[in-house]
Amino acid sequence: MVGYVRFMFAIMLCIANMIIYGLKVNIATAIIGMVKKKPGIPDWSDECPEFETDADIITDIDGPFDWTSKEQGLVVSIYFAGYLVGMFPAGYCADRFHTKTVLLICVLGNAFLTILVPVTASSLVALYIVRFLTGVVSAANLPIVNVLVGKWVVYEEKSMWVGIIYAGTSLGTVISILTSGMILDFLGWEAIFYIHGILPLIWCVVFYIFFEDSPEEQKYISEDERSLVVNSYGHRAPGTAKMKVPWKSIFTSVPFWALIATNTLGNFGWYFLLTQMPLYMNKILRFDIKANALITCTPYFVNAFTNPMLGKILDTGRKRGLWTQTIARKIAVFISSIPASIFLLIIAYIGCARVTSTVLLTLSIIVCGAIFVGHLTNQNDLAPNYAGILMGITNTPGTISAFILPPIVGALVEEGHTMGRWRYVFWITVIAQVLAFLIFSVFGSAKIQEWNYPPMEVENWDAEEQQRPRQQETKT
């Protein structure tokens, strides 16, 4: 009887994503209790005087650190600088070394550095270093997921389980924001980092004891399930880490360059909403801190369910011959790009329609979440044997939007927040998203590329493809 160890492994990856994303965003809440209260009235937009003025109430939390707005922003954003710098080395390590060990280092490093935040907070330079290093070790997360999906997820179940695994990013964001607020109220800002830093150690112990790097090495698994996973189409065997990387073939591959462009441009919507939506809701729509947090969390919570559902629909359609895996990925890229672009343009021009803007911002996050079953899993489609390296390469420019959007917004609204100034940012995001879809729809592919296999296996690979039943060819 086929067991369910592969499902439990996927759930553990989901929880790892929850941990890493949760530790990424908790600083945004904690910093409210870390900085001294500034006198004066905030620079809210006054274009919609009919809005309630609850947002004008300054929080009564008075922290110990007298940081400027730029220093506060750097505490948050320097994480993404480390994330960008660490992406390719992390992807290479995830691909070429023992992936389980790299994942444990990633989670343990995040936990340890999170605990160090209260210790180093009195020195901005030390805190910057800790936050930068946190970004560096976190960069291994997405490459690791792509490598382990190739080892553990059965081809016919890929889209659904990728959606479940990446649901951890949304759940981690929600849980982190909500628990950070409660811990801040009851125990103070230091406790946020101590509690969030210690809890992941439980996951590390469980993962270390009960799970192995691949089904071939797994102890607690039935032979039937091991055989099912190992014989799955596109399965990545343990020995692939020693294969020579075909750099020339990779960088002359049209689908790979299409993926680079799609990853770079297609992440603008996700990072814009992740990093700037709370600011827009606060300054333009004038929601207070509590309402802002609740509204911000809602779409990420919904995402945790919609992505696995989308993945299941894409898998089912492919199994029934309604579309190929390539078309399935293009459907996901369309969902993450075009509807969100339409919603953002409507928001940019409807003026003071507060409820409508809020609903459309929420829907934008939900549909943008399709990136996780779209281009962010395409690395594993193209080459399971090099998925970590491909993720490291493609997501390095894919992180640029997270790093440049905050300063762009800051420069545009330096003289005050107005809808007209915010429209420039909306248009930048929309243009990037539309270009991402157009590029991927023309040049993108989800077929396993010939260079995924060692040169001596190419002839065998060609023969196997010719012998493969038409039904399987349709699925791929």
Side-chain angles (χ1 to χ4, degrees), residues 184-262:
L184 179 62
D185 283 342
F186 290 103
L187 299 174
W189 66 269
E190 298 99 328
I192 295 174
F193 301 103
Y194 291 135
I195 294 173
H196 285 182
I198 291 172
L199 287 178
L201 301 181
I202 301 172
W203 179 93
C204 291
V205 172
V206 173
F207 189 70
Y208 177 79
I209 294 175
F210 294 104
F211 296 93
E212 297 299 334
D213 187 64
S214 67
E216 289 89 343
E217 302 167 346
Q218 179 69 26
K219 300 174 184 176
Y220 309 103
I221 189 173
S222 69
E223 288 305 317
D224 287 343
E225 184 174 23
R226 193 195 312 273
S227 177
L228 173 67
V229 179
V230 169
N231 294 318
S232 172
Y233 177 65
H235 171 70
R236 175 171 177 156
T240 55
K242 299 179 181 179
M243 290 167 50
K244 183 179 179 180
V245 181
W247 295 110
K248 182 178 178 181
S249 297
I250 290 174
F251 282 103
T252 53
S253 169
V254 173
F256 176 68
W257 279 104
L259 180 56
I260 290 178
T262 305

Side-chain angles (χ1 to χ4, degrees), residues 53 154 169 190 201 212 220 259 262 266 291 321 353 397 426 448 458 472:
T53 58
V154 175
T169 62
E190 298 99 328
L201 301 181
E212 297 299 334
Y220 309 103
L259 180 56
T262 305
F426 280 93
I448 296 179
V458 171
Q472 181 64 48

Side-chain angles (χ1 to χ4, degrees), residues 143-176:
I144 287 169
V145 168
N146 267 273
V147 173
L148 293 178
V149 163
K151 294 181 179 181
W152 276 95
V153 175
V154 175
Y155 182 82
E156 287 75 15
E157 304 165 345
K158 182 189 285 188
S159 293
M160 181 188 71
W161 278 102
V162 164
I164 292 173
I165 291 168
Y166 280 127
T169 62
S170 300
L171 290 174
T173 300
V174 171
I175 293 171
S176 179

Side-chain angles (χ1 to χ4, degrees), residues 5 10 44 65 67 108 116 132 198 233 265 287 300-301 340 366 386 410 416 460:
V5 175
W44 318 108
F65 305 116
W67 297 336
L108 278 171
L116 283 183
F132 179 84
I198 291 172
Y233 177 65
L265 299 168
F287 284 101
Y300 292 107
F301 181 75
I366 293 172
Y386 306 104
N460 294 335

Side-chain angles (χ1 to χ4, degrees), residues 11 15 24 41 97 105 147 156 187 194 238 250 253 257 286-287 291 294 377 392 449 461:
I11 294 298
I15 297 173
K24 177 190 295 188
I41 300 175
F97 298 101
I105 292 172
V147 173
E156 287 75 15
L187 299 174
Y194 291 135
I250 290 174
S253 169
W257 279 104
R286 297 177 69 178
F287 284 101
L294 181 61
T377 194
Q449 302 298 294
W461 179 82

